[in-house]
């Protein structure tokens, strides 16, 4: 898939020939620094990209159909019922003047016939599922903590039993303990209910603990994708290696902290060759001239680096 932002100063390619496949019931983590294109990709898959973004090529196959070729009516049927999404801002997007129960039942009524009683019972069940007592149905958003509000967003996203749930940094604004609890809950629900997850985050280390597979993005391209365990123990792309070292590691009584020098490039004018080369500690001459293809280096494991084996 390719996605451009059409600006006054010309197009900015935020997603550059990215191809992703997802198994039924799989938990895929998508990691990368701010601006690497993660949200653009998620909104592209959902076909909810606001202008000036334009999908300029590729395909996105979901349940055998290319989402990019569907018309608005077909998309409307698919969204929320087959694939749904939770944003970082979901907790602030709840309506302040209607109860959370009504907000969940509204989603159900908008997409199908259900009696008021059945919808209310199901809403209570959904709340329980995401760790909120079912008797909080009549609460208003302001009566809940940030973590609780984000859980309501997840309950709404799960209301119609989608087969794909996309989560775009849903826990970034929350403290680490609440974040961990919510992640564990999503993982548990996903295992129990069998839906697939695309979880977007800037926190690679956290994603490696929770995902089946992880895709690492850099400047609009996929740098590496592979089984989480393998990326954790033997990352092959220097960017993945750098991101993993960018989190504190404890050695005896000392904590080492490393950060990748430099900043990600502007996508308006990205570096030639490998986009990571100005920051790469092992770059060779070829790197500034030729862009590395994503190549397979092991079962289900690929990296876009000239030196990766
Ligand atoms: P973050 O973690 O900060 O949300 P991200 O990895 O999700 O970052 P995106 O929000 O998808 O990244 O943005 C990817 C790139 O697309 C940005 O670096 C920027 O160059 C470009 N971009 C995003 N929105 C616009 C816009 N409205 N106009 C022009 N360019 C944009
Ligand atoms: Fe570094 Fe070259 Fe590999 Fe890019 S292709 S990550 S610059 S070694």
């Amino acid at each position: 898939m390719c996605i451009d932002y059409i600006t006054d100063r010309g197009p900015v390619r935020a997603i550059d020939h990215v191809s992703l496949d997802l198994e039924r019931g799989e938990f895929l983590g998508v990691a990368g620094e701010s601006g690497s294109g993660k949200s653009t990709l998620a909104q592209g898959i959902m076909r909810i990209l606001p202008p000036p973004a334009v999908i300029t090529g590729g395909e996105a196959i979901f349940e055998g159909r290319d989402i990019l070729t569907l018309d608005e009516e077909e998309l409307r049927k698919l969204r929320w019922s087959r694939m749904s999404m939770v944003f970082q801002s979901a907790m602030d997007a709840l309506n302040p003047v209607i109860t959370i129960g009504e907000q969940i039942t509204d989603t159900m009524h908008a997409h199908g016939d259900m009696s008021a009683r059945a919808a209310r019972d199901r809403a209570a069940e959904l709340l329980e599922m995401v760790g909120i007592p079912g008797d909080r149905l009549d609460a208003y958003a302001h009566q809940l903590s940030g973590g609780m509000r984000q859980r309501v967003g997840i309950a709404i996203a799960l209301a119609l039993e989608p087969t794909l749930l996309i989560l775009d940094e849903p826990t970034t604004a929350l403290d680490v303990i609440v974040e961990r609890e919510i992640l564990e809950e999503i993982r548990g629900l996903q295992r129990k209910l069998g839906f697939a997850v695309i979880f977007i985050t800037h926190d690679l280390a956290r994603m490696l603990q929770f995902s089946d597979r992880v895709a690492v993005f850099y400047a609009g391209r996929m740098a590496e994708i592979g089984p989480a365990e393998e990326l954790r123990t033997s990352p092959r792309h220097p960017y993945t290696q750098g991101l993993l070292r960018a989190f504190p590691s404890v050695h005896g009584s000392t904590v080492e902290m490393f950060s990748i020098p430099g900043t990600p490039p502007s996508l308006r004018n990205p570096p030639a060759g490998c986009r990571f080369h100005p920051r790469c500690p092992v770059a060779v001459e070829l790197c500034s001239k030729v862009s590395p293809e994503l190549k397979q280096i092991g079962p289900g494991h690929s990296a876009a680096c000239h030196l990766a084996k």
Side-chain angles (χ1 to χ4, degrees):
M1 190 191 291
C2 291
I3 303 174
D4 293 352
Y5 286 93
I6 308 300
T7 70
D8 295 345
R9 289 159 54 208
V12 173
R13 175 145 296 177
I15 288 293
D16 192 13
H17 294 92
V18 169
S19 163
L20 259 187
D21 57 78
L22 196 64
E23 301 274 328
R24 201 171 274 272
E26 185 181 24
F27 195 115
L28 176 77
V30 172
E33 284 165 293
S34 182
S36 56
K38 308 177 300 293
S39 299
T40 304
L41 177 72
Q43 291 171 36
I45 296 171
M46 285 287 284
R47 290 269 312 269
I48 52 170
L49 275 166
V54 179
I55 300 176
T56 48
E59 46 181 33
I61 310 295
F62 177 70
E63 298 184 335
R65 291 196 296 171
D66 184 358
I67 299 165
L68 306 190
T69 63
L70 302 182
D71 62 32
E72 263 314 311
E73 178 56 22
E74 290 169 315
L75 278 171
R76 202 187 58 79
K77 287 195 189 132
L78 204 71
R79 270 189 223 123
W80 309 114
S81 61
R82 310 297 300 157
M83 53 161 75
S84 63
M85 187 159 171
V86 181
F87 301 88
Q88 184 181 336
S89 56
M91 64 174 101
D92 305 318
L94 293 176
N95 190 325
V97 294
I98 57 173
T99 66
I100 55 170
E102 281 172 278
Q103 295 184 62
I104 301 174
T105 54
D106 279 356
T107 309
M108 291 187 241
H109 290 312
H111 289 266
D113 283 336
M114 201 182 236
S115 74
R117 182 75 245 170
R120 198 173 150 84
D121 288 349
R122 170 87 180 124
E125 191 182 302
L126 282 159
L127 282 185
E128 297 271 0
M129 237 164 62
V130 297
I132 301 177
D135 61 9
R136 302 300 313 265
L137 270 181
D138 296 322
Y140 290 89
H142 73 265
Q143 297 170 318
L144 305 176
S145 66
M148 293 268 216
R149 294 204 303 277
Q150 201 58 315
R151 286 186 163 96
V152 174
I154 296 166
I156 292 173
L158 291 177
L160 301 160
E161 299 177 30
T163 49
L164 172 63
L165 176 65
I166 303 178
L167 298 136
D168 189 358
E169 308 231 20
T171 52
T172 302
L174 304 173
D175 75 53
V176 287
I177 295 166
V178 177
E179 177 185 34
R180 194 176 180 91
E181 281 171 9
I182 293 184
L183 267 164
E184 276 167 359
E185 259 158 34
I186 292 170
R187 190 61 166 136
L189 286 171
Q190 180 252 344
R191 287 202 173 110
K192 190 165 125 204
L193 303 175
F195 54 85
V197 169
I198 297 180
F199 196 110
I200 294 173
T201 177
H202 58 275
D203 187 344
L204 174 61
R206 169 88 62 199
M207 255 321 91
L208 290 175
Q209 298 170 344
F210 281 94
S211 307
D212 297 315
R213 273 194 312 155
V214 170
V216 178
F217 275 73
Y218 187 75
R221 290 182 179 165
M222 202 186 286
E224 184 163 7
I225 181 164
E229 183 55 21
E230 216 170 301
L231 256 73
R232 197 172 65 76
T233 54
S234 98
R236 306 293 176 80
H237 196 287
Y239 179 59
T240 315
Q241 293 164 355
L243 277 184
L244 282 175
R245 289 178 60 207
F247 291 89
S249 57
V250 183
H251 292 286
S253 57
T254 54
V255 178
E256 283 179 18
M257 190 73 188
F258 164 90
S259 68
I260 305 172
T263 51
S266 155
L267 295 181
R268 195 173 290 286
N269 189 16
C274 174
R275 292 183 170 180
F276 187 55
H277 86 261
R279 302 173 74 191
C280 181
V282 292
V284 293
E285 204 184 333
L286 176 70
C287 301
S288 60
K289 300 192 173 85
V290 180
S291 173
E293 297 284 324
L294 190 69
K295 64 175 182 225
Q296 190 163 353
I297 47 174
H301 190 173
S302 302
C305 169
H306 293 307
L307 306 186
K309 289 196 215 56

